């Protein structure tokens, strides 16, 4: 398994069901965007409100943590079923994501803090930790490792973390390049918001596909799938 192999297999997976992945990612981004624009746009969260639970803070948490985690989990589950050749059941993905939401949110926050600390110390440790937690979400929603998912993801990535980082950098380069093109076109025609939604959908779709492919490679032989 090499970084370029993972990169190729990520897009091979996306090409197997482009309509499914594109629809899920775009619909999720539109929902998040509308929720943020319509609800948060009319809510002003003051310092006093931040100190006590209130509707505004709940809206902020919902838009910034809960909805993105549900969307990510749904995409990971869909990607796994595409890899395995199973029927796609969107309602089951949503139900599973909601059931596992506490683990998804808290473990993702912990992973984000770990990666952030690594980048604060030095760039290299940050990338190393990033490689170590790349398969965290699939470990939660596919592997069902529960609260042990962080440790399990770290175990699975042992000896492969720099390979995973390389794949992330390759995928990120594509995402950034396409995002810049979309941003230019959006700015040219006054469609900046649409361009941002499309870029966001592309980013989360590629990230979920890459993490799921990596998880498949680290847990079992799926050579015949690709």
């Amino acid at each position: 398994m090499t970084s370029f192999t993972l990169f190729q297999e990520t897009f091979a997976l996306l090409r197997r069901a482009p309509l499914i992945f594109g629809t899920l990612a775009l619909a999720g981004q539109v929902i998040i965007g509308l929720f943020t624009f319509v609800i948060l746009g009319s809510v002003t969260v003051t310092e006093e409100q931040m100190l006590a639970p209130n509707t505004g803070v709940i809206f902020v948490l919902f838009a910034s943590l809960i909805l993105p985690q549900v969307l990510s989990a749904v995409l990971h589950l869909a990607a796994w079923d595409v890899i395995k050749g199973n029927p796609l059941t969107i309602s089951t993905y949503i139900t599973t994501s909601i059931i596992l939401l506490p683990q998804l949110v808290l473990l993702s926050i912990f992973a984000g803090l770990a990666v952030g600390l690594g980048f604060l110390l030095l760039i290299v440790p940050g990338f190393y930790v990033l490689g170590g937690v790349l398969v965290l979400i699939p470990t939660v929603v596919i592997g069902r490792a529960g609260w042990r998912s962080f440790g399990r993801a770290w175990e699975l990535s042992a000896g492969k973390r720099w390979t995973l980082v390389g794949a992330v950098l390759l995928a990120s380069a594509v995402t950034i390049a396409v995002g810049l093109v979309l941003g230019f076109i959006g700015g040219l025609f006054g469609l900046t918001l649409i361009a941002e939604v499309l870029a966001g959908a592309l980013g989360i779709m590629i990230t979920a596909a890459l993490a799921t492919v990596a998880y498949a490679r680290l847990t079992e032989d799926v050579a015949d799938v690709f």
Side-chain angles (χ1 to χ4, degrees):
M1 181 177 72
T2 66
S3 298
F4 190 67
T5 299
L6 285 175
F7 173 77
Q8 287 181 307
E9 292 178 346
T10 295
F11 286 90
L13 173 61
L14 292 173
R15 287 196 299 271
R16 291 186 62 185
L19 185 60
I20 293 295
F21 291 122
T23 301
L24 287 174
L26 187 58
Q29 284 297 107
V30 168
I31 291 172
I32 293 172
L34 287 175
F35 187 91
T36 303
F37 180 77
V38 175
I39 304 299
L40 297 183
S42 62
V43 174
T44 301
V45 181
T46 65
E47 182 178 352
E48 291 76 12
Q49 289 175 321
M50 287 297 293
L51 296 177
N54 62 86
T55 303
V57 174
I58 291 173
F59 284 156
V60 171
L61 293 175
F62 194 71
S64 62
L65 290 176
I66 295 176
L67 287 178
Q69 287 297 338
V70 170
L71 174 58
S72 177
V74 167
L75 285 168
H76 280 84
L77 289 166
W80 184 253
D81 275 342
V82 171
I83 289 175
K84 304 298 286 184
N86 298 329
L88 302 180
T89 53
I90 308 303
S91 59
T92 300
Y93 303 154
I94 295 174
T95 300
T96 300
S97 302
I98 293 174
I99 292 173
L100 297 175
L101 192 57
Q103 296 170 16
L104 288 168
V105 171
L106 294 178
L107 289 174
S108 293
I109 290 174
F110 181 73
L113 291 174
V115 172
L117 179 60
F119 278 116
L120 282 176
L121 295 175
L122 282 173
I123 298 298
V124 173
F127 278 117
Y128 186 75
V129 176
L130 176 62
V133 300
L134 178 64
V135 296
L136 175 62
I137 301 303
T139 302
V140 174
V141 299
I142 299 168
R144 303 297 179 90
W147 294 106
R148 290 188 59 257
S149 294
F150 187 94
R152 175 59 177 158
W154 193 259
E155 292 171 4
L156 287 173
S157 63
K160 299 291 184 180
R161 289 173 195 141
W162 291 118
T163 298
L164 298 176
V165 169
V168 170
L169 292 177
L170 288 171
S172 297
V174 172
T175 303
I176 292 171
V178 175
L180 289 174
V181 172
L182 289 173
F184 174 77
I185 295 174
L188 197 62
F189 294 98
L191 302 172
T192 303
L193 181 59
I194 293 177
E196 290 177 355
V197 170
L198 290 174
L202 177 68
I204 195 169
M205 182 174 66
I206 292 176
T207 300
L210 173 59
T212 308
V213 168
Y215 179 80
R217 284 298 186 197
L218 294 172
T219 55
E220 56 185 276
D221 181 13
V222 292
D224 59 324
V225 174
F226 302 101

